[in-house]
Structure formats: structure tokens, C-alpha cells
């Protein structure tokens, strides 16, 4: 689904991604772990061109997205993204948040978009919040709405950047449950997270990033029980 060749990203003199090569297959759940500042967010943001790579190539479903005549909007429709801080539109109701892109970008009829939105709200357990505003919701609820909003575009892959890091501990579980449901449905997912329980349970592969490179990767068992690199060991010793 996604092939990354020699991906490089610099912010001025700061070399943030240093030649990343990665293939993500349909149906995979790839969890990315690593210290703060190692380039995890930048890597995710390059995948949907929220950041423009400085070098290398990315293929999405067989098509290069890093050449010049790419259609960024079309690409973003197929890649849902969920951020740490939700990024809901504060002046819109939950229903409007979810239906905005399908109506504006996909030119969907309002009735159809709302029908899909209610189905998604049902899935994330928040049907009764359709006419609430984001400020009336808890963090966990906001994040479940953000997930529903991303799903409303029927993406082929979902990118999550620390989706539970801004939540009070008691709300982490409800968001992870929604994400696990997605896994069960076969969604292709790339997830940056510090939730090692989630990684152990559902990741098909764990990537350990440090200083702009994928230092080590493998199934969760291997990475967590038998890490090879000293930097992976050090990192895991700090967080586990
Ligand atoms: P992580 O998500 O692993 O914590 P990031 O990808 O956010 O790491 O950041 C990697 C490095 O790139 C950090 O040193 C960060 O300060 C820097 N960085 C990220 N975004 C920008 C930006 N827009 N401009 C300049 N530097 C940035
Ligand atoms: Mg980050």
C-alpha cells in the first residue's frame, strides 16, 4: 500500500529523516515507537504530504506521490489522519465536523453524508453527541469523533499520531477500543504511540525510530522481549 524509498527530510540545517526505507502492506498495523524528537511525527506527515520530503520517493497504492503532478487532495482523501490534539473545528457541531469533508471534497449529498456520519457515530458510541460542540465533549469523546471524521472519507489507510497522549488516563482505553475495532475490520494503520500494551496486542510490526532512522523493527514479541540494538533496549528500559 505504501512504499517509502530513501526518505529524507530536512528543516533548514536540521536533518530530521535520514534515508527511511519502509513498505507497509494492506491490512498491516504498524506501530512506531521511539524517543521524542526522533522524527516519528515528521515521518507520518511525509506520508500524506503534510510535510514535503526533501529527498527520496513515496509510492501510495503504486503511484508516486512525491513527483510533481500528484493530486494532494485525492491522496489525503485516501489517508485518514488523527492527531494528538484532535483538531476538531470548534465552531461546528460534531455532525458538521464529520460531514464537512465528504460534502466539500467528495461532493456528497448532505443527506448521504449525514447517514454515514450517524453510522460512524454509532460505531464510536457517540450517537447522542451529534449536535454537541467539541467544547462540550471530554478528550476521549473528542478523539473518537476525530476518528469518525477521518473514517467518513472511507480512507484506505489511517495514520495516528499519538492519539491518546493528550488524554486523561481514564479516557485512553475508550480510544484504544475504537482503534482495536478498526484493526479487527482489517484497516491498514500506522500508529505512533507510547501505548505498549496496544502495540503488543495488535501490531503486525513495530518500528523503533531514533535520530531520523528506523533502527530496528519486527513483530512486537521480538522488539519488546528480544530487542537487538542497545538504543532500543535503552528506550524500552525507560518506558516499560
Ligand atoms: P517526534 O514526533 O519523534 O517527537 P518530530 O518528527 O516531531 O519528532 O520532530 C523531529 C525533529 O524535527 C525535532 O527536532 C523537531 O524539533 C523538528 N521539527 C519538526 N517539525 C519541524 C518544523 N516544522 N520546523 C522545524 N523543525 C521541526
Ligand atoms: Mg511526535
Amino acid at each position: 500500500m505504501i512504499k517509502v524509498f530513501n526518505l529524507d527530510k530536512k528543516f533548514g540545517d536540521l536533518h530530521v529523516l535520514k534515508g527511511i526505507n519502509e513498505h507497509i502492506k494492506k491490512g498491516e498495523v504498524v506501530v512506531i515507537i521511539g524517543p521524542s524528537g526522533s522524527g516519528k511525527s515528521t515521518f507520518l506527515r511525509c506520508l500524506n504530504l503534510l510535510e514535503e520530503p526533501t529527498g527520496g520517493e513515496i509510492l501510495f497504492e503504486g503511484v508516486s506521490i512525491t513527483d510533481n503532478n500528484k493530486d494532494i487532495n485525492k491522496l489525503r482523501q485516501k489517508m485518514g489522519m488523527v492527531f494528538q490534539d484532535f483538531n476538531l473545528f470548534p465552531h461546528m457541531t460534531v455532525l458538521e465536523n464529520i460531514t464537512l469533508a465528504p460534502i466539500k471534497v467528495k461532493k456528497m449529498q448532505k443527506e448521504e453524508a449525514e447517514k454515514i456520519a450517524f453510522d460512524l457515530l454509532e460505531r464510536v458510541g457517540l450517537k447522542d453527541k451529534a449536535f454537541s460542540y467539541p467544547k462540550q465533549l471530554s478528550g476521549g469523546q473528542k478523539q473518537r469523533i476525530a476518528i469518525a471524521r477521518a473514517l467518513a472519507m472511507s480512507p484506505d489507510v489511517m495514520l495516528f499520531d499519538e492519539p491518546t497522549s493528550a488524554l486523561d488516563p481514564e479516557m485512553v482505553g475508550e480510544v484504544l477500543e475504537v482503534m482495536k475495532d478498526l484493526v479487527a475490520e482489517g484497516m491498514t494503520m500506522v500508529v505512533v504511540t507510547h501505548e505498549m500494551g496496544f502495540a503488543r496486542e495488535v501490531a503486525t510490526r513495530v518500528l523503533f525510530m531514533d535520530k531520523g532512522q528506523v533502527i530496528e523493527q519486527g513483530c512486537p514479541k521480538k522488539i519488546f522481549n528480544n530487542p537487538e540494538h542497545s538504543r532500543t533496549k535503552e528506550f524500552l528500559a525507560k518506558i516499560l
Side-chain angles (χ1 to χ4, degrees):
M1 182 162 283
I2 304 173
K3 290 187 176 180
V4 177
F5 301 100
N6 227 355
L7 176 63
D8 241 66
K9 176 68 185 174
K10 289 177 186 162
F11 291 108
D13 290 339
L14 191 64
H15 201 171
V16 175
L17 298 179
K18 301 170 185 163
I20 294 189
N21 291 288
E22 199 50 57
H23 292 189
I24 295 165
K25 296 191 199 80
K26 192 170 184 310
E28 267 203 294
V29 179
V30 175
V31 169
I32 304 176
I33 61 172
S36 179
S38 57
K40 304 180 299 296
S41 295
T42 304
F43 176 61
L44 272 195
R45 294 166 63 83
C46 281
L47 294 183
N48 64 0
L49 298 181
L50 282 177
E51 297 291 352
E52 189 163 1
T54 325
E57 187 173 26
I58 302 172
L59 301 186
F60 178 60
E61 297 180 334
V63 178
S64 175
I65 62 169
T66 35
D67 71 11
N68 288 324
N69 33 26
K70 74 230 158 184
D71 183 342
I72 291 195
N73 284 329
K74 215 165 189 176
L75 168 74
R76 295 222 181 105
Q77 284 183 42
K78 294 192 170 182
M79 289 188 168
M81 179 129 184
V82 174
F83 303 88
Q84 181 174 339
D85 50 4
F86 327 123
N87 285 5
L88 295 175
F89 305 112
H91 57 293
M92 290 183 183
T93 64
V94 162
L95 190 64
E96 287 164 346
N97 264 280
I98 298 175
T99 56
L100 181 72
I103 292 171
K104 291 272 179 215
V105 182
K106 275 198 169 172
K107 311 289 177 208
M108 201 180 275
Q109 293 297 315
K110 193 173 169 209
E111 293 69 36
E112 193 192 350
E114 290 186 346
K115 186 182 174 299
I116 291 170
F118 277 110
D119 286 347
L120 287 166
L121 283 171
E122 177 109 64
R123 264 167 76 181
V124 301
L126 291 171
K127 215 169 180 177
D128 56 328
K129 299 293 182 191
F131 301 103
S132 301
Y133 284 85
K135 65 168 182 287
Q136 299 170 307
L137 305 176
S138 71
Q141 290 171 335
K142 277 189 258 200
Q143 195 59 300
R144 283 144 70 197
I145 297 299
I147 294 172
R149 181 177 62 174
L151 291 173
M153 296 295 279
S154 321
D156 292 345
V157 55
M158 286 283 285
L159 310 176
F160 292 87
D161 193 359
E162 299 201 30
T164 59
S165 295
L167 301 178
D168 290 334
E170 74 269 25
M171 291 170 189
V172 170
E174 67 194 56
V175 172
L176 294 179
E177 281 311 311
V178 169
M179 292 170 67
K180 285 179 199 169
D181 287 345
L182 276 181
V183 172
E185 290 162 20
M187 177 63 80
T188 308
M189 296 169 46
V190 185
V191 185
V192 175
T193 186
H194 300 295
E195 291 296 329
M196 297 302 146
F198 174 84
R200 270 182 197 275
E201 198 177 323
V202 303
T204 49
R205 226 153 26 100
V206 177
L207 310 186
F208 173 67
M209 275 186 77
D210 194 19
K211 301 188 177 120
Q213 292 177 311
V214 176
I215 302 287
E216 179 167 2
Q217 62 165 292
C219 66
K221 229 179 178 166
K222 178 196 169 257
I223 296 293
F224 293 121
N225 300 354
N226 241 330
E228 280 172 24
H229 283 258
S230 54
R231 279 194 261 169
T232 318
K233 286 178 195 166
E234 269 169 46
F235 175 75
L236 290 173
K238 276 186 211 149
I239 61 157
L240 288 180

